[in-house]
Amino acid sequence: MAGSTIADSTSLDLSAERSIVTAWVYSPEVDVPVLLKVENSNDGTQFAEVLVTTTKANEWEMLTFDFTDLNQGELSEAITYDKKSLFFDFGNVGSDKVFYWDNVRLEGDGLAEQPMPESYPVSDTGQPLLGNPQYQAISYGAWRSDTRASGDLVPSVSDHVEDMKILNAMGIKVVRTYNTQGFIGTDGKSNTENLLEAIRQLKDEAAADGNSFEMYVMLGVWIDANNAWTGEPIDSSVDSPNNALELAKAKELALAYPDIVKVIAVGNEAWLIGLPRIRFILQSS
């Protein structure tokens, strides 16, 4: 009946009002008794324990331990419950059964009521764009080759027009881009600039026919650490000189297309690339 003590010395603030602890467990059998014991690490006589049983075999389930329904011990706000142990198959002689546990947590009273924002991005008709199932979004890259380079490989306005019509027909109304500059096409414009111009054309054409075309952009701003992608040693404490240019271009495009650019996502690819290449602290005045 040896228990598994959790390597965490944080005291549980158990009380009659906040008495629920949950844990995810994986058991080879149903009806296996599982005991959760919490105690004062400096005084073993101060403890509380709850016994429950598993209901599933060979799959994960969440067990709930209610410390207002004790097996033994005492529930008291005066006790420091800083030692927590789980005992699987409690009360039975040890065997070769294997159990797993994860994510033991003291449940709270739920989320507090969230404040409503005073302003938020909206559609042409005034509908909220974020968190609205009527405005499905997708990460969008228009490259039609497996090579990204300046020149005739950069997607043109007509390429984007074709894509936007397809996405709109699929019910997509928001696209998220990756950078504001990037590679430059033969027309002297970047991929992102061509995208915004394509959406502008589609909106204008629809309006001329008395219709509407909805497509909005979450404008990605690519952020790097100094020397990223150069082959030189990366300095994560210093911004890439290109970061300021990315931000400046984002402001320029947002001002030029205010009815299309609704959100600016700075460093939206940072976590996907990895910490060594990114400087996360952006200083602004």
Side-chain angles (χ1 to χ4, degrees), residues 8-22:
D8 170 34
S9 59
T10 304
S11 179
L12 291 180
D13 295 324
L14 287 168
S15 66
E17 293 74 30
R18 195 179 182 193
S19 63
I20 303 297
V21 176
T22 58

Side-chain angles (χ1 to χ4, degrees), residues 134-214:
Q134 299 302 314
Y135 288 86
Q136 297 294 307
I138 193 171
S139 296
Y140 171 70
W143 293 89
R144 284 156 163 75
S145 67
D146 57 4
T147 301
R148 295 189 300 169
S150 294
D152 58 5
L153 292 179
V154 175
S156 64
V157 172
S158 61
D159 290 334
H160 287 293
V161 166
E162 183 180 64
D163 288 351
M164 293 302 103
K165 288 181 178 179
I166 294 172
L167 290 176
N168 186 265
M170 295 169 56
I172 302 297
K173 295 182 180 179
V174 182
V175 293
R176 193 267 286 181
T177 61
Y178 293 83
N179 51 22
T180 62
Q181 301 175 102
F183 305 101
I184 305 301
T186 54
D187 57 1
K189 301 292 185 179
S190 70
N191 175 44
T192 302
E193 290 175 296
N194 286 342
L195 167 64
L196 294 170
E197 183 56 30
I199 297 174
R200 164 63 61 231
Q201 288 185 15
L202 289 167
K203 289 174 72 71
D204 290 348
E205 290 172 5
D209 293 334
N211 300 313
S212 65
F213 181 87
E214 284 194 293

Side-chain angles (χ1 to χ4, degrees), residues 101-279:
W101 61 268
D102 193 12
N103 197 25
V104 178
R105 56 176 288 169
L106 173 64
E107 299 295 340
D109 298 322
L111 290 175
E113 183 176 351
Q114 300 300 296
M116 290 295 294
E118 296 181 0
S119 63
Y120 43 83
V122 297
S123 69
D124 292 341
T125 57
Q127 296 299 310
L129 290 178
L130 302 180
N132 187 342
Q134 299 302 314
Y135 288 86
Q136 297 294 307
I138 193 171
S139 296
Y140 171 70
W143 293 89
R144 284 156 163 75
S145 67
D146 57 4
T147 301
R148 295 189 300 169
S150 294
D152 58 5
L153 292 179
V154 175
S156 64
V157 172
S158 61
D159 290 334
H160 287 293
V161 166
E162 183 180 64
D163 288 351
M164 293 302 103
K165 288 181 178 179
I166 294 172
L167 290 176
N168 186 265
M170 295 169 56
I172 302 297
K173 295 182 180 179
V174 182
V175 293
R176 193 267 286 181
T177 61
Y178 293 83
N179 51 22
T180 62
Q181 301 175 102
F183 305 101
I184 305 301
T186 54
D187 57 1
K189 301 292 185 179
S190 70
N191 175 44
T192 302
E193 290 175 296
N194 286 342
L195 167 64
L196 294 170
E197 183 56 30
I199 297 174
R200 164 63 61 231
Q201 288 185 15
L202 289 167
K203 289 174 72 71
D204 290 348
E205 290 172 5
D209 293 334
N211 300 313
S212 65
F213 181 87
E214 284 194 293
M215 188 64 72
Y216 307 98
V217 173
M218 178 183 288
L219 194 63
V221 176
W222 192 277
I223 296 298
D224 272 324
N226 196 38
N227 293 333
W229 313 104
T230 66
E232 299 295 323
I234 295 172
D235 185 353
S236 296
S237 67
V238 178
D239 280 313
S240 165
N242 196 52
N243 291 353
L245 300 177
E246 277 279 308
L247 289 165
K249 194 66 174 180
K251 180 180 179 180
E252 175 190 327
L253 295 177
L255 291 174
Y257 299 91
D259 59 330
I260 298 174
V261 177
K262 295 295 184 175
V263 180
I264 297 178
V266 180
N268 50 309
E269 292 297 298
W271 287 105
L272 299 181
I273 297 169
L275 295 175
R277 296 187 181 276
I278 307 301
R279 182 176 183 226

